[in-house]
Amino acid sequence: MNLKYKTVAVDFDGTLTYGDNYPKVKDINIWAVIALIAYKRAGGTLLLFTCRTDFALEEALRECSKYGLYFDEVNRTTQKAIDKWREKHPHSSISSKVSADLYIDDKAYPNNITGIDWTLLSKELLKKEGM
């Protein structure tokens, strides 16, 4: 895989949806889904990192699967990233912060001001290393 962003973490409410309707799921952003599916097909690792738990999380995952969007991990770092960290830092514990090359969240700057431009972001997600 020669993607610039090998692992991407994405929020759910307000990021993969048009609004924050927690705990319900409605108004899935199809442009977000299309961009993330293309990223996965290009070889990227996709993490869902959300505050949702229990039934609300199951509902979000079920809704994403209706569109063919699946995640490599949910609310956790991949085992590969954990192993790499432990190899590099054998005497350090593992943080609860998710490990990713790019975080997509409606509450992150500048998205909290301008909104997420999924057309621009979809191009960014497919960039190759060195670009």
Side-chain angles (χ1 to χ4, degrees):
M1 166 179 36
N2 58 355
L3 290 171
K4 178 179 178 180
Y5 306 104
K6 296 185 182 355
T7 302
V8 170
V10 63
D11 178 43
F12 185 76
D13 294 290
T15 302
L16 294 182
T17 65
Y18 283 107
D20 185 349
N21 299 300
Y22 182 89
K24 296 181 179 179
V25 175
K26 60 182 184 177
D27 299 328
I28 291 287
N29 183 334
I30 193 65
W31 300 113
V33 170
I34 290 168
L36 295 173
I37 288 173
Y39 169 75
K40 291 253 318 154
R41 285 185 180 150
T45 299
L46 186 60
L47 313 176
L48 179 64
F49 203 65
T50 176
C51 292
R52 285 177 174 258
T53 60
D54 305 320
F55 177 76
L57 177 57
E58 290 173 18
E59 188 175 354
L61 291 171
R62 200 169 25 256
E63 192 65 25
C64 288
S65 72
K66 287 180 186 176
Y67 294 93
L69 179 60
Y70 299 95
F71 302 93
D72 296 287
E73 292 290 349
V74 176
N75 288 339
R76 61 169 278 165
T77 298
T78 63
Q79 189 60 49
K80 182 178 176 181
I82 291 170
D83 293 344
K84 188 175 180 179
W85 175 265
R86 284 192 172 132
E87 185 178 302
K88 192 173 182 179
H89 307 283
H91 303 294
S92 177
S93 60
I94 301 298
S95 169
S96 60
K97 181 180 177 182
V98 68
S99 177
D101 301 308
L102 180 68
Y103 301 87
I104 306 170
D105 193 315
D106 64 305
K107 302 229 182 332
Y109 180 81
N111 300 334
N112 63 330
I113 296 170
T114 61
I116 299 173
D117 181 342
W118 281 101
T119 302
L120 179 65
L121 185 54
S122 65
K123 292 175 187 170
E124 187 66 23
L125 287 172
L126 297 177
K127 280 187 178 178
K128 304 294 183 194
E129 280 183 313
M131 293 184 78

PDB file of all heavy atoms in Angstrom, residues 97-116:
ATOM      1  N   LYS A  97      -5.812   6.611  23.251  1.00  0.00           N
ATOM      2  CA  LYS A  97      -5.953   7.412  22.041  1.00  0.00           C
ATOM      3  C   LYS A  97      -5.747   6.525  20.816  1.00  0.00           C
ATOM      4  O   LYS A  97      -4.811   5.738  20.763  1.00  0.00           O
ATOM      5  CB  LYS A  97      -4.932   8.544  22.023  1.00  0.00           C
ATOM      6  CG  LYS A  97      -5.042   9.427  20.799  1.00  0.00           C
ATOM      7  CD  LYS A  97      -4.010  10.539  20.826  1.00  0.00           C
ATOM      8  CE  LYS A  97      -4.105  11.359  19.560  1.00  0.00           C
ATOM      9  NZ  LYS A  97      -3.099  12.410  19.523  1.00  0.00           N
ATOM     10  N   VAL A  98      -6.627   6.663  19.858  1.00  0.00           N
ATOM     11  CA  VAL A  98      -6.524   5.855  18.652  1.00  0.00           C
ATOM     12  C   VAL A  98      -5.309   6.316  17.842  1.00  0.00           C
ATOM     13  O   VAL A  98      -4.977   7.494  17.807  1.00  0.00           O
ATOM     14  CB  VAL A  98      -7.819   5.935  17.812  1.00  0.00           C
ATOM     15  CG1 VAL A  98      -8.019   7.305  17.224  1.00  0.00           C
ATOM     16  CG2 VAL A  98      -7.846   4.873  16.744  1.00  0.00           C
ATOM     17  N   SER A  99      -4.643   5.364  17.207  1.00  0.00           N
ATOM     18  CA  SER A  99      -3.473   5.664  16.395  1.00  0.00           C
ATOM     19  C   SER A  99      -3.880   5.672  14.927  1.00  0.00           C
ATOM     20  O   SER A  99      -4.317   4.651  14.397  1.00  0.00           O
ATOM     21  CB  SER A  99      -2.400   4.601  16.636  1.00  0.00           C
ATOM     22  OG  SER A  99      -1.286   4.836  15.809  1.00  0.00           O
ATOM     23  N   ALA A 100      -3.746   6.836  14.299  1.00  0.00           N
ATOM     24  CA  ALA A 100      -4.106   6.983  12.883  1.00  0.00           C
ATOM     25  C   ALA A 100      -3.244   8.067  12.262  1.00  0.00           C
ATOM     26  O   ALA A 100      -2.680   8.911  12.962  1.00  0.00           O
ATOM     27  CB  ALA A 100      -5.582   7.326  12.746  1.00  0.00           C
ATOM     28  N   ASP A 101      -3.159   8.048  10.942  1.00  0.00           N
ATOM     29  CA  ASP A 101      -2.412   9.073  10.213  1.00  0.00           C
ATOM     30  C   ASP A 101      -3.267  10.303   9.926  1.00  0.00           C
ATOM     31  O   ASP A 101      -2.748  11.377   9.654  1.00  0.00           O
ATOM     32  CB  ASP A 101      -1.906   8.500   8.883  1.00  0.00           C
ATOM     33  CG  ASP A 101      -1.012   7.301   9.116  1.00  0.00           C
ATOM     34  OD1 ASP A 101      -0.064   7.417   9.913  1.00  0.00           O
ATOM     35  OD2 ASP A 101      -1.274   6.250   8.511  1.00  0.00           O
ATOM     36  N   LEU A 102      -4.584  10.112   9.956  1.00  0.00           N
ATOM     37  CA  LEU A 102      -5.516  11.202   9.680  1.00  0.00           C
ATOM     38  C   LEU A 102      -6.785  10.961  10.487  1.00  0.00           C
ATOM     39  O   LEU A 102      -7.264   9.828  10.551  1.00  0.00           O
ATOM     40  CB  LEU A 102      -5.849  11.252   8.186  1.00  0.00           C
ATOM     41  CG  LEU A 102      -6.814  12.337   7.716  1.00  0.00           C
ATOM     42  CD1 LEU A 102      -6.180  13.722   7.848  1.00  0.00           C
ATOM     43  CD2 LEU A 102      -7.239  12.094   6.277  1.00  0.00           C
ATOM     44  N   TYR A 103      -7.300  12.023  11.099  1.00  0.00           N
ATOM     45  CA  TYR A 103      -8.540  11.957  11.868  1.00  0.00           C
ATOM     46  C   TYR A 103      -9.575  12.827  11.179  1.00  0.00           C
ATOM     47  O   TYR A 103      -9.305  13.992  10.878  1.00  0.00           O
ATOM     48  CB  TYR A 103      -8.317  12.482  13.290  1.00  0.00           C
ATOM     49  CG  TYR A 103      -7.279  11.723  14.056  1.00  0.00           C
ATOM     50  CD1 TYR A 103      -5.941  12.055  13.978  1.00  0.00           C
ATOM     51  CD2 TYR A 103      -7.646  10.654  14.874  1.00  0.00           C
ATOM     52  CE1 TYR A 103      -4.981  11.356  14.672  1.00  0.00           C
ATOM     53  CE2 TYR A 103      -6.700   9.946  15.575  1.00  0.00           C
ATOM     54  CZ  TYR A 103      -5.364  10.300  15.474  1.00  0.00           C
ATOM     55  OH  TYR A 103      -4.422   9.603  16.167  1.00  0.00           O
ATOM     56  N   ILE A 104     -10.746  12.262  10.955  1.00  0.00           N
ATOM     57  CA  ILE A 104     -11.826  13.021  10.323  1.00  0.00           C
ATOM     58  C   ILE A 104     -12.955  13.148  11.333  1.00  0.00           C
ATOM     59  O   ILE A 104     -13.537  12.147  11.744  1.00  0.00           O
ATOM     60  CB  ILE A 104     -12.326  12.330   9.039  1.00  0.00           C
ATOM     61  CG1 ILE A 104     -11.172  12.058   8.080  1.00  0.00           C
ATOM     62  CG2 ILE A 104     -13.412  13.182   8.374  1.00  0.00           C
ATOM     63  CD1 ILE A 104     -11.542  11.169   6.903  1.00  0.00           C
ATOM     64  N   ASP A 105     -13.240  14.390  11.722  1.00  0.00           N
ATOM     65  CA  ASP A 105     -14.257  14.637  12.744  1.00  0.00           C
ATOM     66  C   ASP A 105     -14.870  16.010  12.491  1.00  0.00           C
ATOM     67  O   ASP A 105     -14.147  16.973  12.233  1.00  0.00           O
ATOM     68  CB  ASP A 105     -13.610  14.596  14.128  1.00  0.00           C
ATOM     69  CG  ASP A 105     -14.609  14.535  15.257  1.00  0.00           C
ATOM     70  OD1 ASP A 105     -15.607  15.293  15.214  1.00  0.00           O
ATOM     71  OD2 ASP A 105     -14.397  13.756  16.195  1.00  0.00           O
ATOM     72  N   ASP A 106     -16.186  16.091  12.576  1.00  0.00           N
ATOM     73  CA  ASP A 106     -16.867  17.365  12.355  1.00  0.00           C
ATOM     74  C   ASP A 106     -16.527  18.392  13.427  1.00  0.00           C
ATOM     75  O   ASP A 106     -16.691  19.582  13.219  1.00  0.00           O
ATOM     76  CB  ASP A 106     -18.380  17.162  12.292  1.00  0.00           C
ATOM     77  CG  ASP A 106     -18.946  16.646  13.602  1.00  0.00           C
ATOM     78  OD1 ASP A 106     -18.458  15.603  14.094  1.00  0.00           O
ATOM     79  OD2 ASP A 106     -19.872  17.263  14.141  1.00  0.00           O
ATOM     80  N   LYS A 107     -16.025  17.959  14.556  1.00  0.00           N
ATOM     81  CA  LYS A 107     -15.700  18.884  15.643  1.00  0.00           C
ATOM     82  C   LYS A 107     -14.243  19.343  15.603  1.00  0.00           C
ATOM     83  O   LYS A 107     -13.824  20.159  16.401  1.00  0.00           O
ATOM     84  CB  LYS A 107     -16.011  18.217  16.976  1.00  0.00           C
ATOM     85  CG  LYS A 107     -17.462  17.793  17.089  1.00  0.00           C
ATOM     86  CD  LYS A 107     -18.073  18.240  18.356  1.00  0.00           C
ATOM     87  CE  LYS A 107     -19.492  17.846  18.609  1.00  0.00           C
ATOM     88  NZ  LYS A 107     -20.380  17.633  17.533  1.00  0.00           N
ATOM     89  N   ALA A 108     -13.459  18.816  14.666  1.00  0.00           N
ATOM     90  CA  ALA A 108     -12.047  19.194  14.537  1.00  0.00           C
ATOM     91  C   ALA A 108     -11.924  20.434  13.652  1.00  0.00           C
ATOM     92  O   ALA A 108     -12.662  20.598  12.690  1.00  0.00           O
ATOM     93  CB  ALA A 108     -11.238  18.048  13.949  1.00  0.00           C
ATOM     94  N   TYR A 109     -10.961  21.269  13.968  1.00  0.00           N
ATOM     95  CA  TYR A 109     -10.705  22.465  13.170  1.00  0.00           C
ATOM     96  C   TYR A 109     -10.097  22.063  11.826  1.00  0.00           C
ATOM     97  O   TYR A 109      -9.246  21.194  11.797  1.00  0.00           O
ATOM     98  CB  TYR A 109      -9.740  23.373  13.930  1.00  0.00           C
ATOM     99  CG  TYR A 109      -9.419  24.644  13.184  1.00  0.00           C
ATOM    100  CD1 TYR A 109     -10.298  25.714  13.227  1.00  0.00           C
ATOM    101  CD2 TYR A 109      -8.275  24.745  12.420  1.00  0.00           C
ATOM    102  CE1 TYR A 109     -10.022  26.867  12.522  1.00  0.00           C
ATOM    103  CE2 TYR A 109      -7.998  25.893  11.707  1.00  0.00           C
ATOM    104  CZ  TYR A 109      -8.879  26.952  11.766  1.00  0.00           C
ATOM    105  OH  TYR A 109      -8.614  28.086  11.058  1.00  0.00           O
ATOM    106  N   PRO A 110     -10.444  22.613  10.710  1.00  0.00           N
ATOM    107  CA  PRO A 110     -11.409  23.683  10.482  1.00  0.00           C
ATOM    108  C   PRO A 110     -12.829  23.183  10.233  1.00  0.00           C
ATOM    109  O   PRO A 110     -13.723  23.970   9.973  1.00  0.00           O
ATOM    110  CB  PRO A 110     -10.855  24.385   9.244  1.00  0.00           C
ATOM    111  CG  PRO A 110     -10.285  23.259   8.433  1.00  0.00           C
ATOM    112  CD  PRO A 110      -9.701  22.303   9.461  1.00  0.00           C
ATOM    113  N   ASN A 111     -13.016  21.852  10.306  1.00  0.00           N
ATOM    114  CA  ASN A 111     -14.341  21.301  10.013  1.00  0.00           C
ATOM    115  C   ASN A 111     -15.433  21.884  10.908  1.00  0.00           C
ATOM    116  O   ASN A 111     -16.575  22.015  10.482  1.00  0.00           O
ATOM    117  CB  ASN A 111     -14.336  19.782  10.154  1.00  0.00           C
ATOM    118  CG  ASN A 111     -13.359  19.116   9.217  1.00  0.00           C
ATOM    119  OD1 ASN A 111     -13.035  19.648   8.168  1.00  0.00           O
ATOM    120  ND2 ASN A 111     -12.869  17.966   9.600  1.00  0.00           N
ATOM    121  N   ASN A 112     -15.083  22.216  12.153  1.00  0.00           N
ATOM    122  CA  ASN A 112     -16.086  22.762  13.060  1.00  0.00           C
ATOM    123  C   ASN A 112     -16.553  24.150  12.626  1.00  0.00           C
ATOM    124  O   ASN A 112     -17.600  24.613  13.064  1.00  0.00           O
ATOM    125  CB  ASN A 112     -15.572  22.789  14.497  1.00  0.00           C
ATOM    126  CG  ASN A 112     -14.372  23.693  14.672  1.00  0.00           C
ATOM    127  OD1 ASN A 112     -13.573  23.883  13.763  1.00  0.00           O
ATOM    128  ND2 ASN A 112     -14.232  24.265  15.851  1.00  0.00           N
ATOM    129  N   ILE A 113     -15.819  24.775  11.734  1.00  0.00           N
ATOM    130  CA  ILE A 113     -16.199  26.105  11.239  1.00  0.00           C
ATOM    131  C   ILE A 113     -16.756  26.007   9.813  1.00  0.00           C
ATOM    132  O   ILE A 113     -17.792  26.581   9.500  1.00  0.00           O
ATOM    133  CB  ILE A 113     -14.983  27.059  11.269  1.00  0.00           C
ATOM    134  CG1 ILE A 113     -14.543  27.257  12.726  1.00  0.00           C
ATOM    135  CG2 ILE A 113     -15.305  28.389  10.601  1.00  0.00           C
ATOM    136  CD1 ILE A 113     -13.232  27.965  12.880  1.00  0.00           C
ATOM    137  N   THR A 114     -16.060  25.267   8.964  1.00  0.00           N
ATOM    138  CA  THR A 114     -16.411  25.246   7.539  1.00  0.00           C
ATOM    139  C   THR A 114     -17.246  24.039   7.125  1.00  0.00           C
ATOM    140  O   THR A 114     -17.811  24.033   6.041  1.00  0.00           O
ATOM    141  CB  THR A 114     -15.127  25.233   6.689  1.00  0.00           C
ATOM    142  OG1 THR A 114     -14.388  24.042   6.997  1.00  0.00           O
ATOM    143  CG2 THR A 114     -14.273  26.460   6.955  1.00  0.00           C
ATOM    144  N   GLY A 115     -17.297  23.016   7.972  1.00  0.00           N
ATOM    145  CA  GLY A 115     -17.919  21.761   7.574  1.00  0.00           C
ATOM    146  C   GLY A 115     -16.898  20.915   6.828  1.00  0.00           C
ATOM    147  O   GLY A 115     -15.823  21.393   6.457  1.00  0.00           O
ATOM    148  N   ILE A 116     -17.202  19.654   6.622  1.00  0.00           N
ATOM    149  CA  ILE A 116     -16.279  18.747   5.935  1.00  0.00           C
ATOM    150  C   ILE A 116     -16.568  18.792   4.440  1.00  0.00           C
ATOM    151  O   ILE A 116     -17.688  18.564   4.011  1.00  0.00           O
ATOM    152  CB  ILE A 116     -16.427  17.307   6.454  1.00  0.00           C
ATOM    153  CG1 ILE A 116     -16.101  17.243   7.951  1.00  0.00           C
ATOM    154  CG2 ILE A 116     -15.520  16.359   5.667  1.00  0.00           C
ATOM    155  CD1 ILE A 116     -16.380  15.903   8.594  1.00  0.00           C
TER     156      ILE A 116
END
